[in-house]
């Protein structure tokens, strides 16, 4: 029997191919955090705006079947855009100047995170201030490349981020949240193409965002809320009565009315109780309208 063909995006595909495309589950990956941060670099991480993310620790799990950045991850959203020129940089010189070491392989400005872990051990009480600063930069690079803005390489991070870590106080004045969202949105847009099998970006944020707003897909977690809010998803959960297959999730979403979605989850008093005072001083930043800027890429949102 001849297959029925459907014209899509100037291409003819079979009904079977279209069904496979619709039912595909994108491959996703998260390289877990490098472990709890050393207290010796806490002040640097706080200055750079990455302290709350660093406390998430290991344990973030991804459900490949399934975005307030300020509250979910604790990243700044109202600072200067993360942008600049990185096309003509001498990456070996950048590495040596800021880390006092140069990897054997630099691929288009990207280096292996495994080299970072092997080259920079966690500082001890005898370490110098310079060694602690270098390790703090490495720790942030690992968070960016392995958790916040991972690409499909799985083990590479671009050294353009290192250019933003020359001064931690200046780094803390950058809008890291919108830069991270730009990466996630770009990956989500690219993943809509039928020939795409993988997706990058901070998918654990997307999962947590969805579960705060879709009560009917939310597993039961007995652990109390902690900050950042995304850490609630690190603990064991009960999926009894929760749809877990792709087909069931689609059906559940189609059958729910607008009233069954939770549009303002952060109004819960239990959540307000764990939000640090620094995030309550200017609640307008929770719904700030900004362009999502990440170096040369801009997403209007």
């Amino acid at each position: 029997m001849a297959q029925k063909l459907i014209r899509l995006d100037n291409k003819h595909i079979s009904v079977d191919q279209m069904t496979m495309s619709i039912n595909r589950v994108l491959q996703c990956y998260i390289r877990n955090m490098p472990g709890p941060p050393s207290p010796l670099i806490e002040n640097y991480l706080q200055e750079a705006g990455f302290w709350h993310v660093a406390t998430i620790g290991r344990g973030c799990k991804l459900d490949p079947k399934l975005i307030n950045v300020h509250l979910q991850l604790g990243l700044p959203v109202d600072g200067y855009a993360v942008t600049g020129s990185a096309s003509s940089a001498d990456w070996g010189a950048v590495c040596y100047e800021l880390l006092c070491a140069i990897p054997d392989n630099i691929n288009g400005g990207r280096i292996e995170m495994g080299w970072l872990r092997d080259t920079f051990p966690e500082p001890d009480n005898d370490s110098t201030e310079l060694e602690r600063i270098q390790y703090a930069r490495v720790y942030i690079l690992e968070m960016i490349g392995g958790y916040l803005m991972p690409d499909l390489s799985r083990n590479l991070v671009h050294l353009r981020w290192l250019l933003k870590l020359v001064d931690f106080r200046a780094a803390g004045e950058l809008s890291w949240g919108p830069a991270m969202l730009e990466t996630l949105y770009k990956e989500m847009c690219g993943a809509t193409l039928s020939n795409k099998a993988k997706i990058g970006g901070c998918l654990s944020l997307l999962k947590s965002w969805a579960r705060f707003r879709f009560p009917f897909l939310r597993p039961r977690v007995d652990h109390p809320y902690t900050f950042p809010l995304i850490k609630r998803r690190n603990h064991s959960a009960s999926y009894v009565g929760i749809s877990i297959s792709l087909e069931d999730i689609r059906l559940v979403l189609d059958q729910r009315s607008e009233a069954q979605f939770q549009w303002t989850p952060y109004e819960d008093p239990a959540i307000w109780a764990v939000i640090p005072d620094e995030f309550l001083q200017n609640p307008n930043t929770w719904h700030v309208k900004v362009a999502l800027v990440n170096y040369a890429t801009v997403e209007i949102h």
Side-chain angles (χ1 to χ4, degrees), residues 11-12 22 26 40 46-47 52 58 109 160 178 180 190 195 197-198 204 238-239 241 256 260 267 281 285 288 296:
K11 296 179 181 179
H12 286 92
I22 292 175
L26 293 166
L40 298 176
Q46 286 181 339
E47 280 190 338
H52 292 295
R58 298 181 183 274
R160 66 175 178 265
M180 191 217 66
N195 63 341
K198 299 179 181 180
S204 58
S238 172
Y239 287 83
R256 290 302 184 268
Q260 292 176 292
E267 291 182 350
Q281 294 173 358
T285 60
V288 64

Side-chain angles (χ1 to χ4, degrees), residues 59-75:
C60 295
K61 298 291 189 287
L62 283 180
D63 183 350
K65 297 181 296 295
L66 281 182
I67 283 189
N68 189 302
V69 186
H70 202 40
L71 299 182
Q72 289 281 358
L73 291 172
L75 285 173

Side-chain angles (χ1 to χ4, degrees), residues 57-271:
R58 298 181 183 274
C60 295
K61 298 291 189 287
L62 283 180
D63 183 350
K65 297 181 296 295
L66 281 182
I67 283 189
N68 189 302
V69 186
H70 202 40
L71 299 182
Q72 289 281 358
L73 291 172
L75 285 173
V77 298
D78 58 344
Y80 298 105
V82 181
T83 187
S85 176
S87 59
S88 60
D90 183 339
W91 297 118
V94 169
C95 250
Y96 188 78
E97 179 180 357
L98 297 177
L99 300 179
C100 292
I102 304 176
D104 293 332
N105 298 312
I106 301 180
N107 182 12
R110 299 192 300 174
I111 62 173
E112 294 183 359
M113 287 190 289
W115 176 81
L116 292 173
R117 290 189 296 273
D118 295 339
T119 307
F120 299 92
E122 182 174 321
D124 55 30
N125 292 329
D126 295 328
S127 60
T128 65
E129 182 179 8
L130 177 59
E131 290 171 336
R132 297 178 186 184
I133 290 174
Q134 292 168 350
Y135 182 77
R137 289 169 176 156
V138 167
Y139 194 93
I140 294 173
L141 280 179
E142 288 190 64
M143 285 193 290
I144 291 175
Y147 183 74
L148 296 174
M149 291 181 267
D151 57 24
L152 300 182
S153 69
R154 298 190 174 188
N155 190 40
L156 297 176
V157 60
H158 204 289
L159 287 170
R160 66 175 178 265
W161 308 117
L162 190 58
L163 295 174
K164 301 302 181 184
L165 302 176
V166 176
D167 181 278
F168 293 121
R169 190 174 299 276
E173 296 177 352
L174 298 176
S175 289
W176 290 102
M180 191 217 66
L181 278 180
E182 186 283 323
T183 301
L184 177 60
Y185 286 8
K186 183 179 179 181
E187 289 289 338
M188 291 171 64
C189 287
T192 61
L193 301 177
S194 60
N195 63 341
K196 294 294 183 180
K198 299 179 181 180
I199 183 172
C202 190
L203 300 178
S204 58
L205 170 63
L206 183 63
K207 181 190 74 172
S208 185
W209 176 90
R211 286 182 173 171
F212 268 90
R213 286 161 175 77
F214 306 161
F216 43 85
L217 294 179
R218 184 187 305 159
R220 190 183 69 192
V221 178
D222 295 328
H223 197 274
Y225 288 106
T226 53
F227 193 85
L229 298 181
I230 200 171
K231 288 200 292 186
R232 184 171 174 82
R233 306 304 165 197
N234 289 0
H235 303 281
S236 59
S238 172
Y239 287 83
V240 176
I242 302 295
S243 300
I244 58 174
S245 71
L246 181 61
E247 293 79 7
D248 288 344
I249 291 174
R250 283 177 175 156
L251 183 61
V252 168
L253 287 171
D254 288 341
Q255 292 176 338
R256 290 302 184 268
S257 67
E258 182 178 339
Q260 292 176 292
F261 291 82
Q262 195 167 350
W263 301 109
T264 56
Y266 308 123
E267 291 182 350
D268 186 339
I271 293 179

Side-chain angles (χ1 to χ4, degrees), residues 7-76:
R7 189 173 181 82
L8 182 64
D9 292 337
N10 295 322
K11 296 179 181 179
H12 286 92
I13 63 173
S14 69
V15 174
D16 290 341
Q17 288 175 321
M18 186 173 181
T19 301
M20 290 176 61
S21 176
I22 292 175
N23 291 330
R24 67 197 169 102
V25 175
L26 293 166
Q27 298 178 35
C28 50
Y29 181 83
I30 178 173
R31 181 173 293 279
N32 273 327
M33 307 287 275
S38 167
L40 298 176
I41 65 169
E42 177 179 344
N43 59 322
Y44 304 124
L45 297 180
Q46 286 181 339
E47 280 190 338
F50 285 87
W51 172 247
H52 292 295
V53 181
T55 62
I56 294 174
R58 298 181 183 274
C60 295
K61 298 291 189 287
L62 283 180
D63 183 350
K65 297 181 296 295
L66 281 182
I67 283 189
N68 189 302
V69 186
H70 202 40
L71 299 182
Q72 289 281 358
L73 291 172
L75 285 173

